[in-house]
């Protein structure tokens, strides 16, 4: 439960119109005043004093009363005030004075009350700045040092999260208690630093809560289409939600990068500095995914000043695994439309070349070398055959023989693979994907550590190559996180534009990420960028789904189907005007029309349960205001929230 958060009721209370509420309160006051005036002037008789006469002893009443006149006057005046208070309570309840107070008076005092509430500390026994769990384990010296750092203002939220993560390692047995205590006593809030030595990001553009591990994206709208209990509340995302993966769809300019990807990248970079996560952010160069100094590794493909290169084979030494990764990157998107180019056959072709080449050279081929082998150039194949013979790898000659036999067949996928790898064999990529050890290649095998990575794709002028590289990174990511030894570290891939990336194998891999404590965030301009047979499986594989304003009706239809229907209460109201027949009735109707603004009617209400879509395709396409999105959430534990309309405008900015 967050501080100052007050959960709402499940159902929205019925609310009277302002005019009817105020007029009813005024009429109730006038009625109460009239009754009191009639009582005090004796027009209603003396019956209202009968209860007092029955309760008082006979010796206190009359001219011979045994008590003083002052006491008698005090008793009768007190009873009079009690009757007045009773009348006020009755008419106040009938006139809904309490609702008038809540709607028009109480909001004026809320800022002051909130300021007072914020000044109230947590109980000392539960104050996390005192590190009670360290004291309970006997690490009093470490707890005292950290508490002192917190009091002096030297401890940041990242420091607290990082040291708490290190303490979890001690409790799980991964780290030594003595080593942890010594490091904390020596360095205080700077203990257990991230390998980069950084304790925070250069700048923050979103609102983060590292206690819950969430970043705020916006506020749920006060809209009748949102369930009442969720309206007007802040909305934030964290690893427990990203672990089910997220798919966001919206046109260019709808805010996918600025309102979603950038805050999530910033949050996961903070988690990495705290030792909780590893993150890979992939997008076009200049997409605004955060400054370079917010990352440990920045791979700027096709940029001559890039410090890091990308490992084409994902750091693996297994030819079969490398072949599967390269096949997915090159022809994964062609699997369904081109049966002859399916990933399995492509993997076999690549394995027939990668295995013999690595056996001879101790490395995998570079892009130009792989292109020559796939083209079937006689020189490279003959040289590889000769090298296998001279180095004693005659058993691998069968792989080359099979490859050469397949080259003559019309349905050979080698030609398709060669055409695709040629997109990477361009002058702009000449200094990249080096396999000779002369560059600094980054491998996604490094996701075993809390690393922050940004990969810039050269979309301008190399759109097809960028899609191949995006599929390559996704394939390497899903393969790497599945074989990690330590799965307590959350890993996430943020792909700013997943156009051409969604393949059958990618959808299957996304489904397996939840059990590996990993997730992906994919953004698309439209679901038309995904083959029709894969749209349903993709929406089903991701636990969090987000539809931005400007969605097309056919995209809205896919979201409407996956969000399903719900039972709701439908009311059919029929009003029939009442015709007064007597002068008094007509006068009463005139007074009622003056007060309420409506004629006297008899209302018939028919209530029935109907099933309707949570969000229709038309509402998603035409009913979302700019800067808004509809978002449904699912946690790794299976808890879920219905699709909610969220206001993303400046909701997460500091």
């Amino acid at each position: 439960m967050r501080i100052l958060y007050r959960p709402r009721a499940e159902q929205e209370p019925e609310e009277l119109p302002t005019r009817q509420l105020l007029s009813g309160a005024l009429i109730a006051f006038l009625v109460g005043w009239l009754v009191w005036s009639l009582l005090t002037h004796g027009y209603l008789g003396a019956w209202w004093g009968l209860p007092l006469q029955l309760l008082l002893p006979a010796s206190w009443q009359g001219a011979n009363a045994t008590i003083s006149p002052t006491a008698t006057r005090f008793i009768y005046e007190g009873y009079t005030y009690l009757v007045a208070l009773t009348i006020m309570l009755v008419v106040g309840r009938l006139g809904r004075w309490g609702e008038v107070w809540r709607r028009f008076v109480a909001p004026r005092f809320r800022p002051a009350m909130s300021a007072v509430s914020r000044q109230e500390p947590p109980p000392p026994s539960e104050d996390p700045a005192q590190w009670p769990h360290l004291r309970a384990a006997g690490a009093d010296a470490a707890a005292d040092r950290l508490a002192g750092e917190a009091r002096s203002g030297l401890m940041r939220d990242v420091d607290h999260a990082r040291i708490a993560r290190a303490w979890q390692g001690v409790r799980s047995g991964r780290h030594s208690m003595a080593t942890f205590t010594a490091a904390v006593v020596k360095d205080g809030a700077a203990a257990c630093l991230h390998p980069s030595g950084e304790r925070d990001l250069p700048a923050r553009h979103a609102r983060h809560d590292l206690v819950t591990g969430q970043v705020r994206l916006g506020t749920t709208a006060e809209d009748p289409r949102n369930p009442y209990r969720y309206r007007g509340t802040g909305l934030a995302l964290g690893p427990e939600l990203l672990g089910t993966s997220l798919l966001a769809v919206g046109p260019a300019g709808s805010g996918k990068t600025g309102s979603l990807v950038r805050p999530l990248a910033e949050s996961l970079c903070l988690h990495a500095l705290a030792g909780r996560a590893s993150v890979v952010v992939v997008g076009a160069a200049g997409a605004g995914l955060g400054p370079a100094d917010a990352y440990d590794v920045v791979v700027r493909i096709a940029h001559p000043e890039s410090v890091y290169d990308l490992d084409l084979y994902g750091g693996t030494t297994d030819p079969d695994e490398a072949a599967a990764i390269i096949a997915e990157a090159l022809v994964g998107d062609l699997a369904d439309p081109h049966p002859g180019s399916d990933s399995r056959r492509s993997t076999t072709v690549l394995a027939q070349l990668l295995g013999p080449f690595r056996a001879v050279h101790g490395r995998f081929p570079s892009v130009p070398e792989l292109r020559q082998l796939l083209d079937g150039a006689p020189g490279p194949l003959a040289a590889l055959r000769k090298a296998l013979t001279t180095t004693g790898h005659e058993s691998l000659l069968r792989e080359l023989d099979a490859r050469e036999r397949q080259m003559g067949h019309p349905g050979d996928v080698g030609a398709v693979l060669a055409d695709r790898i040629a997109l990477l064999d361009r002058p702009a990529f000449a200094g990249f994907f080096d396999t000779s050890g002369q560059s600094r290649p980054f491998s996604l095998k490094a996701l075993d550590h809390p690393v922050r990575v940004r990969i810039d794709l050269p979309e301008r002028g190399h759109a097809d190559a960028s899609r191949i590289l995006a599929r390559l990174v996704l394939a390497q990511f899903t393969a790497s996180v599945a074989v990690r030894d330590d799965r307590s570290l959350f890993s996430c891939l943020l792909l700013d534009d997943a156009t051409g990336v969604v393949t059958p194998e990618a959808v299957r891999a996304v489904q397996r990420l939840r059990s590996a404590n990993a997730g992906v965030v994919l953004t698309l301009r439209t679901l038309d960028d995904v083959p029709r047979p894969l749209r349903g499986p993709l929406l089903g594989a991701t636990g969090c789904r987000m539809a931005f304003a400007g969605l097309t009706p056919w995209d809205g239809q896919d979201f409407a189907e996956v969000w399903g229907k719900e039972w709701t209460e439908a009311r059919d109201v029929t009003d029939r005007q009442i015709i007064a027949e007597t002068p008094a009735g007509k006068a009463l109707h005139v007074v009622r029309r003056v007060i309420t603004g409506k004629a006297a009617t008899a209302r018939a209400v028919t209530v029935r349960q109907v099933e309707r879509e949570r969000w229709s395709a038309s509402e998603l396409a035409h009913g979302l205001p700019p800067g808004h999105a509809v978002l449904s959430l699912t946690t790794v534990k299976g808890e879920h929230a219905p699709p909610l309309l969220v206001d993303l405008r400046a909701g997460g900015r500091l």
Side-chain angles (χ1 to χ4, degrees):
M1 185 73 68
R2 307 305 299 147
I3 297 176
L4 300 180
Y5 173 72
R6 297 293 183 271
R8 284 186 169 188
E10 291 287 342
Q11 300 294 332
E12 180 179 9
E14 293 186 4
E15 188 174 274
L16 289 177
T18 300
R19 180 178 177 178
Q20 183 177 351
L21 177 64
L22 294 179
S23 62
L26 178 61
I27 292 174
F29 172 75
L30 295 176
V31 170
W33 191 5
L34 176 62
V35 171
W36 172 250
S37 178
L38 294 175
L39 286 176
T40 55
H41 287 85
Y43 291 109
L44 299 180
W47 61 266
W48 62 283
L50 183 61
L52 180 64
Q53 296 177 6
L54 295 176
L55 293 174
L56 290 179
S59 59
W60 288 16
Q61 305 180 33
N64 299 323
T66 58
I67 59 176
S68 65
T70 302
T72 302
R73 186 171 63 254
F74 177 77
I75 292 174
Y76 277 91
E77 288 182 356
Y79 179 73
T80 302
Y81 290 140
L82 179 61
V83 172
L85 179 62
T86 302
I87 294 174
M88 185 178 68
L89 291 176
V90 172
V91 299
R93 185 174 182 83
L94 294 176
R96 299 176 181 259
W97 290 2
E99 187 172 350
V100 173
W101 174 271
R102 288 191 296 271
R103 287 172 60 176
F104 302 104
V105 182
R108 299 179 178 272
F109 298 94
R110 282 178 185 169
M113 295 173 64
S114 299
V116 173
S117 300
R118 291 190 187 98
Q119 296 176 0
E120 298 179 359
S125 60
E126 300 177 1
D127 187 358
Q130 298 299 321
W131 298 88
H133 46 287
L134 266 68
R135 300 182 189 277
D140 294 310
D144 291 339
R145 176 65 191 275
L146 294 176
E149 298 273 275
R151 286 192 300 269
S152 59
L154 299 177
M155 178 175 287
R156 311 172 187 179
D157 55 352
V158 179
D159 298 328
H160 185 277
R162 186 185 64 252
I163 295 174
R165 165 73 178 178
W167 176 249
Q168 291 177 359
V170 173
R171 298 300 300 268
S172 64
R174 295 195 307 270
H175 306 299
S176 167
M177 177 75 165
T179 303
F180 170 82
T181 304
V184 171
V185 171
K186 177 185 176 183
D187 300 322
C192 312
L193 276 180
H194 185 265
S196 66
E198 300 292 337
R199 296 172 59 185
D200 205 345
L201 297 179
R204 299 190 187 186
H205 297 275
R207 300 174 61 184
H208 302 273
D209 184 351
L210 290 181
V211 176
T212 60
Q214 296 179 333
V215 55
R216 180 168 179 149
L217 299 183
T219 304
T220 54
E222 290 281 358
D223 190 279
R225 291 171 293 189
N226 282 344
Y228 177 73
R229 61 177 300 191
Y230 294 106
R231 296 178 195 170
T233 61
L235 188 138
L237 297 183
E240 74 283 355
L241 293 167
L242 298 180
T244 63
S245 297
L246 185 149
L247 174 66
V249 182
S254 59
K256 299 187 300 297
T257 300
S259 301
L260 177 66
V261 179
R262 175 70 183 272
L264 290 179
E266 193 174 272
S267 175
L268 291 168
C269 284
L270 289 173
H271 280 285
L273 291 178
R276 295 174 173 177
S278 57
V279 57
V280 180
V281 183
V282 182
L289 299 176
D293 50 359
Y295 296 90
D296 304 311
V297 175
V298 178
V299 182
R300 305 168 69 186
I301 299 177
H303 195 288
E305 298 180 2
S306 179
V307 177
Y308 288 91
D309 190 5
L310 180 65
D311 191 334
L312 191 66
Y313 300 95
T316 183
T317 58
D318 182 5
D320 293 329
E321 182 180 352
I325 291 174
I326 298 298
E328 172 66 12
L330 294 180
V331 296
D333 60 326
L334 301 179
D336 285 341
H338 298 272
S341 301
D342 60 275
S343 295
R344 290 185 180 179
R345 295 184 61 188
S346 301
T347 301
T348 302
V349 169
L350 288 167
Q352 290 170 345
L353 298 174
L354 296 182
F357 191 96
R358 179 171 179 80
V360 171
H361 300 282
R363 61 177 178 85
F364 289 122
S366 63
V367 169
E369 291 170 334
L370 182 58
R371 180 184 180 183
Q372 290 179 345
L373 293 174
L374 289 171
D375 276 333
L381 287 175
L384 183 57
R385 178 181 294 277
K386 181 179 179 181
L388 287 172
T389 304
T390 56
T391 55
H393 293 91
E394 290 84 358
S395 60
L396 294 175
L397 288 174
R398 291 177 299 178
E399 299 287 341
L400 285 185
D401 293 338
R403 176 84 282 272
E404 291 179 348
R405 287 194 302 270
Q406 294 168 2
M407 287 180 187
H409 293 180
D412 180 32
V413 298
V416 178
L417 292 169
D419 290 341
R420 284 301 182 92
I421 199 67
L423 295 173
L424 302 181
D425 190 17
R426 306 296 299 167
F429 306 119
F432 288 84
F433 318 122
D434 179 62
T435 59
S436 63
Q438 301 299 318
S439 63
R440 299 179 62 184
F442 170 75
S443 168
L444 268 70
K445 292 289 186 181
L447 296 180
D448 274 335
H449 309 284
V451 64
R452 304 168 293 166
V453 184
R454 193 187 80 191
I455 301 177
D456 294 344
L457 301 179
E459 287 194 355
R460 181 175 298 178
H462 301 280
D464 292 335
S466 295
R467 294 189 184 100
I468 291 176
L469 294 173
R471 288 194 298 269
L472 177 68
V473 173
L474 178 58
Q476 291 184 1
F477 176 83
T478 55
S480 299
V481 298
V483 295
R484 292 182 301 163
D485 294 330
D486 181 12
R487 295 191 176 182
S488 64
L489 190 73
F490 178 71
S491 292
C492 190
L493 170 67
L494 278 68
L495 195 52
D496 189 38
D497 184 3
T499 302
V501 176
V502 180
T503 67
E505 181 57 35
V507 173
R508 288 190 288 267
V510 169
Q511 293 173 334
R512 297 191 294 265
L513 290 178
R514 186 181 305 190
S515 61
N517 193 22
V520 297
V521 176
L522 306 175
T523 69
L524 290 167
R525 294 184 180 92
T526 173
L527 286 175
D528 284 341
D529 293 332
V530 178
R532 167 55 67 180
L534 294 180
R535 295 180 195 175
L538 175 63
L539 289 168
T542 52
C544 303
R545 310 172 190 99
M546 197 168 187
F548 281 79
L551 208 68
T552 61
W554 38 93
D555 284 348
Q557 184 62 43
D558 289 325
F559 277 100
E561 290 178 0
V562 76
W563 280 330
K565 299 181 179 181
E566 64 179 349
W567 287 101
T568 185
E569 187 178 85
R571 294 189 176 188
D572 296 329
V573 180
T574 304
D575 289 335
R576 180 179 60 83
Q577 185 173 356
I578 301 176
I579 306 299
E581 298 180 355
T582 62
K586 292 180 179 179
L588 183 61
H589 286 187
V590 171
V591 173
R592 177 173 178 175
R593 174 172 290 186
V594 171
I595 294 175
T596 64
K598 298 180 180 179
T601 58
R603 173 172 295 183
V605 180
T606 303
V607 180
R608 54 195 176 91
Q609 293 291 326
V610 297
E611 191 178 23
R612 67 172 181 87
E613 292 177 322
R614 298 177 184 271
W615 282 85
S616 69
S618 178
E619 289 176 325
L620 292 172
H622 308 294
L624 301 189
H628 288 65
V630 177
L631 171 64
S632 64
L633 302 172
T634 304
T635 69
V636 292
K637 296 181 179 179
E639 302 170 338
H640 59 87
L644 304 171
L645 179 63
V646 183
D647 186 356
L648 303 172
R649 296 170 298 185
R653 297 180 184 176
L654 293 174

